[in-house]
Amino acid sequence: MARVLSSPRLTTTVSAGMFRACWAQPSRIIVSSSSHSSLHTSAVLRGQSSRQHVARAIRKSNIVKQEERQREAQENKPHVILGMRRGKEGEWEKCLLAKILITEEELGISNELVPTEQTIGTVYLPKQFNFGVGEAEKQLLFKSLPILTSMGGKDYVKDKKRTEDAISATNSTGTRDAIPATDSTGTKDAIPATDSTGTGNAIPATNSTGTGDAIPEYVSIESLEEEQNVWRKNIVKEHGKANAFARVIDLRNANAAGIAYENRRRIIEAFSTPQNPFDPGRSEVQAALLTYRIRNLWNHLTTFKRDLGNLRGLRMLVHQRAKILRYLKKVDQNRYEIVLQQLALEPESVEGELVV
C-alpha cells in the first residue's frame, strides 16, 4: 500500500478515477430522474410557455369577440341624424311627416290639372297651389272676381233676371208689347210698355229703392239683349284668364324657397291641435320642423361633403331636436311616443350621448 502510494503517477491515476466515478454517479441519477421529474428547469419552462400560449390565444379570442359585439351594436344602433336603424329606411315613407312633404321631384312628375266647375265654367286648376293660396283665396280668385270683372261691377243676378223677364214677355204675335217690372214694394206688376206719348218702345224703370240709379230711366229690350251678349263675351274672356292664371299659381313654378314655405305651412297644420289649428310653438311642431331641416341638410351634405359650416349647423339642429323631444318626454310620455312614430325616429337616436 505504501509502495502504491509512493508512486506519484499512480496516485494521480487513482485520484482521477475516483473523481470520475464520483462525478458520473450523480450525473446518472440526474439524467435518469430528469425524464420523470417536473422540477427540472426545462420542464418548468415548457409549462410556463404553454400557459402563456393558452392565455395569449384566449386574449385574442376575447378581443375578436369584443370587436364583433361592438360592430353588431354599431350596426343595430339607429342613425343619429336620420333616426332609423339600418335596413329600416322604408319606415320614413310610411310616417306622417314624409306624407305631407312635397319635393321638387314629385312636382316635376305630376303635371296634370284638375277640372273644377266654377261660376264662369270649367276651370283647370293645379293639384298643388303656390304658397299663400288657400281655400279663401281660391274662392276669391276663381268664383267672385271673374264674375264681378265680367259684369263691370253690376249686379249680375238682378240684371239677368230682369232681362229674362223682359224677353219672356212676348205676345202671341211675336212682338214684345209688355215688360214685367218690379215696383218699389218688390212685387211684380205688369207695366204697359207704352209711355205717355203712346209709343211702345221704352218704359220708365226704377230699382227696388225707387231711386232709379241702378237702372237707366228708359230701358229697351234690345239694350238688355246687347248687354247680355257683352256679358257673355266678357265671361268667355274671364274664363280664359282664369285658366291662364291657374297655371301661373301652380306650385311647380315656385323656387326652392317657395316649396320650403309650403312645406313648413303644411307641417304646422298637420302637427297642430284641432283647438289651435296653427300653433308653431307646440313641441311636436318644433320637432317636425327641425326634422325637416335636418333631412334637407343631410341631403345637401351627402353631395357636398366638405361643407363644414353646414355640418356644424346640422350637429346643432340634431342636439336641439333631441332637447325638445326629451322635454316632451318629461311632460307627456304618450305624446313623446306618438311624435317619434310620426317622425320615424327611434328613442336611441334622441336619448343618451349623441355623436354626430
Side-chain angles (χ1 to χ4, degrees), residues 143-163:
K143 288 188 176 181
S144 302
L145 288 181
I147 287 296
L148 293 177
T149 305
S150 63
M151 299 305 299
K154 294 182 178 180
D155 193 341
Y156 172 74
V157 177
K158 292 183 179 179
D159 289 345
K160 182 179 179 182
K161 184 69 170 62
R162 183 162 54 87
T163 305

Side-chain angles (χ1 to χ4, degrees), residues 174-295:
T175 60
R176 297 182 177 91
D177 296 333
I179 299 177
T182 303
D183 57 4
S184 59
T185 60
T187 59
K188 294 181 179 179
D189 299 328
I191 301 177
T194 305
D195 57 2
S196 59
T197 60
T199 60
N201 295 327
I203 59 168
T206 58
N207 58 3
S208 59
T209 60
T211 58
D213 296 333
I215 304 175
E217 185 177 0
Y218 296 100
V219 180
S220 63
I221 297 177
E222 289 77 9
S223 64
L224 294 178
E225 291 179 347
E226 184 178 356
E227 286 183 2
Q228 281 290 92
N229 293 330
V230 173
W231 293 340
R232 292 190 185 97
K233 292 180 181 179
N234 291 338
I235 288 176
V236 172
K237 186 185 299 183
E238 292 299 323
H239 181 264
K241 291 164 63 176
N243 282 300
F245 187 70
R247 292 190 294 269
V248 171
I249 61 176
D250 193 343
L251 189 59
R252 290 174 295 175
N253 296 326
N255 56 4
I259 296 175
Y261 180 90
E262 176 65 19
N263 283 330
R264 288 194 297 270
R265 185 189 64 81
R266 293 186 174 202
I267 289 172
I268 295 174
E269 291 183 355
F271 287 87
S272 298
T273 58
Q275 294 77 15
N276 190 359
F278 196 83
D279 187 6
R282 197 164 184 257
S283 298
E284 289 87 340
V285 176
Q286 290 294 316
L289 290 173
L290 288 173
T291 303
Y292 170 63
R293 294 179 59 188
I294 287 170
R295 283 192 164 266

